[in-house]
Amino acid sequence: MSQGTGVRRGGLVFYLIGTLMACALTAVPVASAGVRLYKCEATPTGIEEPAPPSGLVAREAQAATARLALTKPCGTNQVPYPVTGAASEVGIASIPPPPDGKGNPLVDERPVYRSVKVGSHRRRKGTSAHATRVYNGAWYSWSLGLTTAEHIPDGPVSEVWDEQTNEQPYIAASYSHSLGQLWAIDTSGGQSTVELGWTEAPGQYPDVEVHLFVAMEDGGEYREGGYIGLSSIPWVQTSSTAFPNMIISHTDHIHFYAIKESGGNWWIWYEGQYLGYIPHTAWVHHFPKPHLLEWGGEVATPEEYTCTDMGNGHYGNESVSAAVTYTFWVNSFYAEPSELEGFASDFSQYNPQQWYPTKGLPYEFHYGGPGWC
């Protein structure tokens, strides 16, 4: 997520600082280990879901990937609304002081999954290497594939979907995060976004699991951090099994993410169903009509030189790295971005790579890396 400054590279304007970071490293008070990430409420009535995103159901059927079955956490005629802690704790707070009262927070002592490393691809930090953007006391790094208005010539998009891998990166310090997501961005009104992906964020969530997240920016502002369920931002839950902030699987299978504008609301799709929607009223300053799309990874940490993985810790130029294997958008006509423009804020630590298709397969975009270790 980010703040809204344009960075021009290779003839394309990448609005990175505004679209990529504000909600990531802010932290809610950590609740007890048994905290629920949802509360059960009555199923809303009188709501008609839009048709599934164009072509997505057929693509999901074609992929035929094995997934964990989602169970209903609530009772009959109830849905799980996303929430963490008591109502007074839901608002995003600033980064708490380090436990030792010094420099960076202590390394998380809870068990953390460590990705398998390939010895030859680990690099040490150079004297000039550093994460290139600082926000709210955190260092941010990105490895992205994106497409802009010059690739979307017929107006803003109304649907975006992708296939990507879910990962569980190694997190080197508390109050950090590493995530993979899609950003749908409108820069015409101070920058507003719709964002969807997976994240591992100890300190923001009460564990080191991988969570589904939904977020938004409104006119250049991530209100209360921007996360649905970790703020007072409006949300309408319709699914009885899937909800923002839920723990999700991180297997080698492909997972399907989508957003769709319908009736003035942005609907959120994950793994064969709509979760619910962000209502139009959530955007007070500017409702997004996206003309810039981005996919990839982000790391935010209090450490300037971090060992936190992006993706699964492999560089994007390795075939086993985190991947976005298919991207699709819809506006006044259907368009499939056959290739994404790559960008990396810290190329030696986290890099992107376009993998070209063979035998009619779609392009794949890969990203990631091990940081400065």
Side-chain angles (χ1 to χ4, degrees):
M1 304 173 74
S2 67
Q3 286 294 331
T5 299
V7 180
R8 184 174 295 276
R9 298 180 186 274
L12 298 179
V13 177
F14 300 163
Y15 292 88
L16 294 174
I17 296 183
T19 34
L20 304 175
M21 68 187 175
C23 66
L25 196 59
T26 49
V28 296
V30 178
S32 65
V35 68
R36 285 188 175 184
L37 297 175
Y38 64 90
K39 58 181 178 179
C40 297
E41 295 189 3
T43 302
T45 59
I47 297 176
E48 183 177 353
E49 291 186 345
S54 303
L56 180 54
V57 173
R59 183 68 185 173
E60 286 182 321
Q62 180 182 352
T65 56
R67 304 184 187 91
L68 296 177
L70 297 178
T71 59
K72 294 182 178 181
C74 298
T76 304
N77 298 324
Q78 290 185 318
V79 294
Y81 262 80
V83 66
T84 57
S88 61
E89 297 178 339
V90 172
I92 300 294
S94 59
I95 303 170
D100 59 359
K102 306 173 183 178
N104 294 329
L106 298 175
V107 173
D108 196 333
E109 296 180 352
R110 292 170 292 179
V112 179
Y113 175 90
R114 291 177 180 268
S115 300
V116 176
K117 306 295 183 184
V118 178
S120 62
H121 89 278
R122 303 288 280 177
R123 302 185 184 182
R124 297 186 179 276
K125 66 183 182 184
T127 57
S128 61
H130 58 86
T132 54
R133 294 175 181 82
V134 180
Y135 176 81
N136 196 27
W139 293 88
Y140 280 76
S141 296
W142 299 281
S143 182
L144 306 172
L146 40 81
T147 186
T148 66
E150 66 183 75
H151 296 118
I152 309 175
D154 292 328
V157 301
S158 59
E159 301 180 22
V160 185
W161 60 265
D162 67 56
E163 304 172 6
Q164 62 174 294
T165 58
N166 292 346
E167 308 291 351
Q168 189 178 33
Y170 168 59
I171 304 293
S174 300
Y175 306 111
S176 301
H177 79 234
S178 182
L179 57 79
Q181 70 167 96
L182 71 85
W183 290 265
I185 307 159
D186 180 355
T187 61
S188 64
Q191 188 155 295
S192 294
T193 67
V194 184
E195 307 181 23
L196 172 64
W198 61 264
T199 183
E200 183 183 347
Q204 179 169 305
Y205 295 100
D207 53 45
V208 288
E209 300 294 340
V210 181
H211 292 261
L212 179 70
F213 79 88
V214 180
M216 55 159 283
E217 185 180 14
D218 180 19
E221 176 188 4
Y222 283 103
R223 190 166 68 253
E224 299 175 44
Y227 285 104
I228 300 301
L230 303 181
S231 68
S232 62
I233 295 172
W235 168 260
V236 178
Q237 177 73 27
T238 58
S239 170
S240 62
T241 58
F243 55 95
N245 303 328
M246 67 182 287
I247 295 173
I248 55 177
S249 63
H250 48 87
T251 65
D252 291 331
H253 298 302
I254 295 299
H255 303 270
F256 292 83
Y257 293 82
I259 60 175
K260 180 173 182 174
E261 191 277 323
S262 178
N265 306 310
W266 277 101
W267 286 80
I268 306 300
W269 178 285
Y270 179 69
E271 297 289 64
Q273 63 178 307
Y274 284 112
L275 280 64
Y277 63 86
I278 309 174
H280 192 286
T281 54
W283 287 272
V284 176
H285 302 294
H286 181 69
F287 183 78
K289 296 289 186 180
H291 55 264
L292 170 62
L293 305 175
E294 299 176 353
W295 290 268
E298 173 185 283
V299 166
T301 174
E303 303 172 310
E304 181 176 3
Y305 305 111
T306 184
C307 293
T308 292
D309 288 341
M310 180 184 290
N312 58 17
H314 290 279
Y315 289 109
N317 57 13
E318 298 180 61
S319 62
V320 294
S321 57
V324 179
T325 61
Y326 200 85
T327 56
F328 187 92
W329 74 75
V330 174
N331 52 8
S332 59
F333 75 101
Y334 298 155
E336 297 181 19
S338 58
E339 187 171 4
L340 302 176
E341 184 76 18
F343 170 80
S345 60
D346 302 281
F347 191 85
S348 294
Q349 288 71 41
Y350 310 110
N351 67 37
Q353 178 71 47
Q354 189 77 45
W355 289 76
Y356 294 93
T358 57
K359 298 181 179 179
L361 296 177
Y363 286 85
E364 292 187 3
F365 176 80
H366 287 235
Y367 65 91
W372 280 261
C373 297

